[in-house]
Amino acid sequence: MSPLWDYHEAILNFHTGLDSKHPYQSWPWDWPILRRPVAFFYNEPKGGACASSRCSREILGIGTPALWWGALVALVVVLFIWLILRDWRAGAIVVGFVAGWLTWFPSAFADRTMFLFYATPLIPFMVLAIVLAFGYLIGPATVRRRAVPDPAADGVHGGTDAQPAGPDRSDLDAGRDAEGATAAGARVDGAHPAASSRRVVGAAAAGAFMLVVLANFAYFHPILSAQTLPYDDWHARIWFSSWI
């Protein structure tokens, strides 16, 4: 057990005392906006490796900007959902994200060396925030109106309480259809007409966002996987000088 203890002690001392400067280090407040990704590999192949006089290959440790920046908006929306609607799911997402993010701030103030990939555990909460936000935008599958009394179901006629002749109430309950039928003396109307329109708009927005994220990932994939590109094509994917 002694070597195992010594090993973990060395790990702890290394990470708590890691303060050497690095060209690709970043701070926790940089991570959500992808200000400083990590370039794991870069070279410029020679000998006609691409259809240009200058070629580039890189492995850039960066998230898909459309997903990350969209998640920032979603997290704000989810925060309001939690505070105003008291949805525990929104609270769980916010608490999970904050717990994995703000806990790095004390180390950052102590000048500990850290990198963007430390934010990897935040990604599930970012995705959940997007899903929940779009879920609220789309709305429920059906929106049912308030149940209204149905005098015919209770046999109320002319102010009397007489029960009408006909099938037993259990037979009526068993035979009610999807549009809403008599049950326990009430009539429940079907889905509100506005529900379907809202769902179409919400689903279209969610689908459009997903397509943007997929297209954005496909665009960045060559610089995530060391594919050889003409230098101009590589540089077009470096949107900010801090990404170099």
Side-chain angles (χ1 to χ4, degrees):
M1 291 298 293
S2 179
L4 182 62
W5 176 269
D6 294 341
Y7 175 70
H8 282 85
E9 184 179 16
I11 293 175
L12 178 62
N13 292 335
F14 172 79
H15 284 286
T16 55
L18 184 62
D19 57 4
S20 58
K21 300 302 179 182
H22 192 282
Y24 288 105
Q25 72 181 71
S26 58
W27 305 115
W29 44 87
D30 296 328
W31 299 342
I33 59 174
L34 301 174
R35 193 191 73 83
R36 186 60 170 163
V38 178
F40 292 101
F41 166 79
Y42 177 84
N43 73 355
E44 297 187 1
K46 306 298 181 181
C50 65
S52 176
S53 58
R54 186 179 180 184
C55 306
S56 295
R57 296 177 66 213
E58 182 174 26
I59 298 177
L60 185 66
I62 190 172
T64 304
L67 178 66
W68 283 62
W69 297 341
L72 294 181
V73 177
L75 284 165
V76 173
V77 172
V78 168
L79 176 62
F80 279 100
I81 291 174
W82 181 30
L83 296 177
I84 297 174
L85 301 180
R86 303 296 183 181
D87 188 333
W88 69 269
R89 299 170 299 176
I93 293 170
V94 172
V95 170
F97 180 86
V98 169
W101 182 45
L102 294 186
T103 49
W104 286 104
F105 277 60
S107 298
F109 295 143
D111 289 331
R112 184 198 186 282
T113 309
M114 52 188 66
F115 303 92
L116 173 61
F117 53 80
Y118 288 13
T120 302
L122 304 179
I123 297 175
F125 299 101
M126 296 163 64
V127 173
L128 287 172
I130 294 172
V131 171
L132 185 62
F134 275 120
Y136 267 89
L137 178 63
I138 294 172
T142 58
V143 178
R144 292 193 175 278
R145 300 173 183 171
R146 180 178 59 85
V148 295
D150 187 357
D154 287 334
V156 179
H157 181 69
T160 66
D161 293 330
Q163 296 295 325
D168 186 82
R169 184 176 303 278
S170 61
D171 296 333
L172 293 174
D173 290 344
R176 59 188 176 181
D177 61 4
E179 295 300 323
T182 303
R187 182 178 66 252
V188 181
D189 292 340
H192 195 283
S196 58
S197 298
R198 173 182 172 180
R199 288 179 62 79
V200 168
V201 173
F209 177 77
M210 184 178 68
L211 291 176
V212 169
V213 171
L214 290 174
N216 192 205
F217 173 77
Y219 179 70
F220 275 87
H221 186 261
I223 64 172
L224 305 177
S225 55
Q227 295 185 24
T228 303
L229 294 172
Y231 177 84
D232 290 341
D233 291 349
W234 166 83
H235 195 267
R237 291 165 170 79
I238 306 300
W239 290 353
F240 304 100
S241 59
S242 61
W243 288 10
I244 298 178

